[in-house]
Amino acid sequence: MTPARAVRPTPGPGGSRAPVLAARCPPRSPRASSPPGLGRLRSIHIVALGNEGDAFHQDSRPSGLIRAYLGRSPLVSGDESSLLLSASGAAARPVFTEYQASAFGNVKLVVHDCPVWDIFDSDWYTSRNLIGGADIIVIKYNVNDKFSFHEVKDNYIPVIKRALNSVPVIIAAVGTRQNEELPCTCPLCTSDRGSCVSTTEGIQLAKELGATYLELHSLDDFYIGKYFGGVLEYFMIQALNQKTSEKMKRRKMSNSFHGIRPPQLEQPEKMPVLKAEASHYNADLNNLLFCCQCVDVVFYSPDLKEVAEAHKIVLCAVSHVFMLLFSVKSPADIQDSSIIQTTQDLFTINRDPAFPGASQESPGNPPLRVIVKDAFFCSCLSDILRFIYSGAFQWEELEDDIRKKLKDSGDVSNVIEKVKCILKTPGKFNCLRNCKTYQARKPLWFYNTSLKFFLNKPMLADVVFEIQGTTVPAHRAILVARCEVMAAMFNGNYMEAKSVLIPVYGVSKETFLSFLEYLYTDSCCPAGIFQAMCLLICAEMYQVSRLQHICELFIITQLQSMPSRELASMNLDIVDLLKKAKFHHSDCLSTWLLHFIATNYLIFSQKPEFQDLSVEERSFVEKHRWPSTVYLKQLAEYRKYIHSRKCRCLVM
């Protein structure tokens, strides 16, 4: 049931009063076109109750709100009236006036207009059936007949409320209140409490019925056609839409067969979820500082005491100062005087054979000796290196560590500024001026000079892999930090620990370069499913589990994104992919591939490699196949039934 709507009269053009709908009033119905979906003849039943008076026509011709609307509305045509007498037949005048017309061109409109309320007392059965079968109810009264209004409100409105069944109701207050030039627009005003029915009383009645309240000051073209007609036509369209919806539901129910029903296709089983392994890239590089493996640079204090050990590749990955110090770049490449000056002021390289402790160094490839000139910087060097190896972004921790060693705040600021100069990007202002803004950012090698800069380049390389007749330079420190197999190979009693040239078998150069790219950058992007499978095999060979998970996710994502037509025409042997995944201990991928084959059973069962499945795998696929054998059998029976009845199939 629609909520109550209120209308307030306001002066219109030429002194007439034009109604103003409240904000929740139904929108104006289109008068130039029919409602959608009126393909067949349907009917709308309107019941109008009440007497709006006869103050607007002094002659003897019939008049009234309903007849005026039917005669003037451009959407209604062909109206004719007949009389329905009460059951007793003793009434001197007709109880109901029935109007039959056509609305919207092809919709039958039946209106029962009852000006006398006595029908509810004399023939309750007829009145109840009319109200129960109504699509729209219109209650009308004259604003100058307050006695009749209260009689109806007290005696008959409760009866109507019990008979209503979610039917829209329109309450029309007809007429201009006597001895009142301009009705008050305040709903709380009591200025019209005399012999007239006030606006407040009409609105209250509308709220009780959940109705739409209208005030019609005259039965002219404006009030009848555009105002009352617009609201009535809106509810007519709503009634037609509701009937259409109910008819479609009944049609769907009636179209179901009484014989064999179409089989229901169940949903395929959910594919196994593969969880990605968290990255430990930062922890690997940070642990490299403490394990003291593959050290190639040693820092000394001004008095030639050993302070810390480090790795050139990591230092150069975050700082152009160390690139310049270790001759990775020249001053002409840097072209930044502040970086060049910082390098000269902080560090110097000692190559003197008579250096204390030089005789104990490894004769093959001794670490480079670097002397730190600044004593304060040197005292904090271990904390600075830990800061760099952790990603060069934990500034607050670095400041706290430096303050513990340097009591003077000026010395602390001086050391911090030197660290900023070390991490500066050439040609730019010091973007690290506000350290706290970098606290939540990623490690510096993700957005500065990345380790990828040294991938497959001879700069600082201390090992060379020989693959398919070509060589690939690399850096032991990164390999040891990121791969446990490499760490054991370079630090154990193996030939590779003392050899510079190391042959690699069973892997192509492209696959091995992708493997190294992951070790250096913690990311990789295979060219396709075949390349991802080769990279997965390489990762299993060197026991890099996270790279295996990345390759598995890539293969799964690629297969899931393929449409059925592409799956049917692709040359990739899915069964061979399954066997490789099992052989190389990729349990997650092999389980997923079995489910994938079962879910796309109709495609893969037609391929010749389907016969290569083992007995166990074949049994799993047959058990979890989609669509199931039961469904296909039911579908075949249903098709046979449809063809035998020469009916149209509702499924296919």
Side-chain angles (χ1 to χ4, degrees):
M1 188 174 296
T2 57
R5 282 107 173 164
V7 174
R8 295 303 169 78
T10 56
S16 63
R17 295 190 178 98
V20 179
L21 286 176
R24 294 187 298 167
C25 186
R28 183 70 174 93
S29 63
R31 304 187 68 89
S33 60
S34 299
L38 302 183
R40 297 181 180 179
L41 182 63
R42 285 175 288 176
S43 63
I44 298 177
H45 184 201
I46 301 175
V47 174
L49 302 172
N51 186 5
E52 65 274 31
D54 203 19
F56 305 104
H57 300 280
Q58 302 298 332
D59 52 10
S60 59
R61 61 182 176 177
S63 62
L65 175 62
I66 298 300
R67 185 175 181 85
Y69 167 74
L70 295 176
R72 296 178 182 179
S73 175
L75 298 182
V76 179
S77 61
D79 63 300
E80 56 183 67
S81 62
S82 61
L83 302 182
L84 292 178
L85 300 180
S86 64
S88 62
R93 53 176 178 165
V95 177
F96 279 102
T97 302
E98 179 180 304
Y99 299 94
Q100 295 186 3
S102 296
F104 305 112
N106 57 353
V107 177
K108 183 180 180 181
L109 182 63
V110 179
V111 183
H112 288 91
D113 189 6
C114 176
V116 181
W117 292 93
D118 297 344
I119 182 68
F120 290 96
D121 299 326
S122 61
D123 193 352
W124 165 241
Y125 179 80
T126 302
S127 58
R128 185 184 62 180
N129 288 344
L130 285 174
I131 294 177
D135 298 313
I136 303 170
I137 295 178
V138 179
I139 299 176
K140 42 195 173 63
Y141 63 88
N142 194 297
V143 296
N144 295 308
D145 191 355
K146 193 168 186 176
F147 177 79
S148 299
F149 173 81
H150 282 287
E151 183 182 8
V152 170
K153 180 180 178 182
D154 297 336
N155 298 331
Y156 300 111
I157 293 300
V159 178
I160 295 176
K161 287 177 65 176
R162 290 194 298 268
L164 286 178
N165 185 22
S166 302
V167 177
V169 180
I170 300 175
I171 295 182
V174 183
T176 304
R177 295 177 179 85
Q178 296 178 359
N179 300 325
E180 184 182 15
E181 295 181 357
L182 181 64
C184 180
T185 60
C186 175
L188 301 179
C189 185
T190 59
S191 61
D192 54 355
R193 285 187 176 178
S195 61
C196 301
V197 181
S198 66
T199 301
T200 305
E201 292 175 311
I203 293 176
Q204 185 63 33
L205 177 61
K207 288 183 178 179
E208 292 180 11
L209 294 176
T212 300
Y213 176 74
L214 305 176
E215 283 193 358
L216 309 176
H217 300 302
S218 65
L219 299 184
D220 57 13
D221 289 338
F222 175 79
Y223 284 98
I224 296 297
K226 295 184 178 180
Y227 189 34
F228 174 77
V231 177
L232 184 62
E233 290 157 15
Y234 168 79
F235 286 120
M236 290 166 62
I237 294 175
Q238 293 295 99
L240 289 173
N241 291 337
Q242 183 178 358
K243 288 186 176 183
T244 301
S245 177
E246 294 175 355
K247 187 175 181 180
M248 292 299 295
K249 291 181 180 179
R250 291 194 299 268
R251 181 178 298 176
K252 288 182 180 179
M253 294 297 296
S254 63
N255 284 340
S256 59
F257 289 95
H258 299 288
I260 300 178
R261 299 181 60 85
Q264 298 295 323
L265 180 61
E266 70 279 4
Q267 293 295 324
E269 292 186 9
K270 291 185 178 181
M271 305 294 285
V273 178
L274 183 63
K275 296 182 179 180
E277 183 180 339
S279 173
H280 40 79
Y281 183 70
N282 297 340
D284 291 342
L285 295 178
N286 196 25
N287 293 335
L288 183 63
L289 179 64
F290 301 100
C291 70
C292 299
Q293 295 180 349
C294 303
V295 171
D296 54 5
V297 59
V298 180
F299 290 95
Y300 292 87
S301 64
D303 55 356
L304 304 182
K305 291 183 179 180
E306 183 176 331
V307 177
E309 297 176 331
H311 307 82
K312 297 178 184 178
I313 180 67
V314 177
L315 299 177
C316 292
V318 297
S319 172
H320 285 80
V321 169
F322 290 111
M323 282 188 176
L324 187 61
L325 179 65
F326 301 139
S327 301
V328 175
K329 288 187 177 182
S330 64
D333 298 328
I334 299 294
Q335 293 184 351
D336 191 312
S337 58
S338 62
I339 292 180
I340 298 174
Q341 189 63 40
T342 300
T343 306
Q344 295 174 352
D345 293 343
L346 284 180
F347 307 108
T348 183
I349 296 178
N350 186 293
R351 304 182 187 274
D352 187 2
F355 189 83
S359 58
Q360 286 81 21
E361 293 175 351
S362 174
N365 190 15
L368 183 66
R369 298 185 294 271
V370 177
I371 299 176
V372 183
K373 297 180 181 180
D374 190 307
F376 295 112
F377 187 89
C378 183
S379 63
C380 304
L381 183 60
S382 59
D383 299 318
I384 295 172
L385 289 177
R386 186 168 60 252
F387 165 75
I388 291 175
Y389 273 71
S390 64
F393 71 106
Q394 299 175 352
W395 285 96
E396 290 186 355
E397 294 183 13
L398 176 63
E399 291 182 14
D400 293 339
D401 294 337
I402 294 176
R403 286 194 181 95
K404 293 177 182 178
K405 294 185 177 181
L406 302 179
K407 304 302 181 182
D408 187 83
S409 59
D411 295 337
V412 173
S413 300
N414 186 28
V415 172
I416 291 295
E417 288 300 322
K418 285 183 171 61
V419 175
K420 293 178 184 178
C421 292
I422 289 176
L423 302 178
K424 179 187 176 184
T425 302
K428 295 184 179 180
F429 292 104
N430 196 346
C431 60
L432 305 177
R433 189 167 300 169
N434 186 2
C435 302
K436 292 184 179 181
T437 59
Y438 284 79
Q439 186 67 22
R441 297 194 179 185
K442 292 182 178 181
L444 192 61
W445 42 62
F446 277 97
Y447 54 84
N448 200 353
T449 51
S450 170
L451 281 173
K452 191 175 182 179
F453 177 77
F454 300 94
L455 178 63
N456 196 23
K457 292 182 181 178
M459 296 177 297
L460 303 178
D462 52 4
V463 63
V464 178
F465 293 98
E466 185 179 12
I467 310 170
Q468 295 179 337
T470 60
T471 57
V472 177
H475 307 81
R476 291 174 184 260
I478 302 301
L479 303 179
V480 167
R482 298 282 288 141
C483 178
E484 294 182 0
V485 173
M486 293 276 191
M489 183 174 66
F490 289 128
N491 294 287
N493 296 323
Y494 298 99
M495 178 186 66
E496 292 84 358
K498 299 179 181 179
S499 176
V500 176
L501 186 63
I502 300 175
V504 177
Y505 304 101
V507 179
S508 66
K509 179 182 178 181
E510 290 75 14
T511 302
F512 194 76
L513 281 176
S514 297
F515 174 72
L516 291 181
E517 180 183 2
Y518 169 79
L519 297 183
Y520 277 66
T521 66
D522 202 43
S523 64
C524 66
C525 185
I529 295 178
F530 178 77
Q531 177 65 22
M533 194 66 208
C534 294
L535 186 57
L536 185 147
I537 295 173
C538 182
E540 191 269 338
M541 181 189 307
Y542 289 99
Q543 297 298 303
V544 183
S545 60
R546 184 169 182 271
L547 180 57
Q548 282 184 274
H549 287 303
I550 292 176
C551 295
E552 288 173 344
L553 283 174
F554 180 87
I555 294 173
I556 291 174
T557 304
Q558 291 294 310
L559 290 175
Q560 281 183 329
S561 63
M562 288 185 181
S564 300
R565 183 174 299 177
E566 186 175 351
L567 283 176
S569 60
M570 71 175 183
N571 295 323
L572 182 65
D573 190 340
I574 197 74
V575 177
D576 181 64
L577 203 65
L578 169 65
K579 293 187 177 300
K580 287 181 178 178
K582 280 192 171 184
F583 182 80
H584 293 282
H585 309 288
S586 183
D587 298 333
C588 295
L589 180 59
S590 60
T591 303
W592 188 91
L593 287 173
L594 275 176
H595 279 274
F596 186 69
I597 295 173
T599 304
N600 297 274
Y601 183 89
L602 297 180
I603 295 176
F604 293 115
S605 61
Q606 305 300 320
K607 293 178 177 275
E609 60 267 18
F610 185 79
Q611 306 301 325
D612 297 335
L613 290 172
S614 64
V615 176
E616 181 183 358
E617 293 167 349
R618 186 72 172 267
S619 175
F620 179 90
V621 170
E622 293 290 346
K623 180 180 179 181
H624 298 86
R625 60 175 290 179
W626 186 86
S628 63
T629 307
V630 175
Y631 171 80
L632 294 178
K633 183 179 180 180
Q634 292 175 350
L635 183 61
E637 293 177 355
Y638 180 74
R639 285 176 174 172
K640 183 179 179 181
Y641 170 76
I642 292 298
H643 291 311
S644 65
R645 290 175 57 100
K646 297 182 179 180
C647 299
R648 181 182 177 184
C649 178
L650 297 179
V651 177
M652 304 301 292

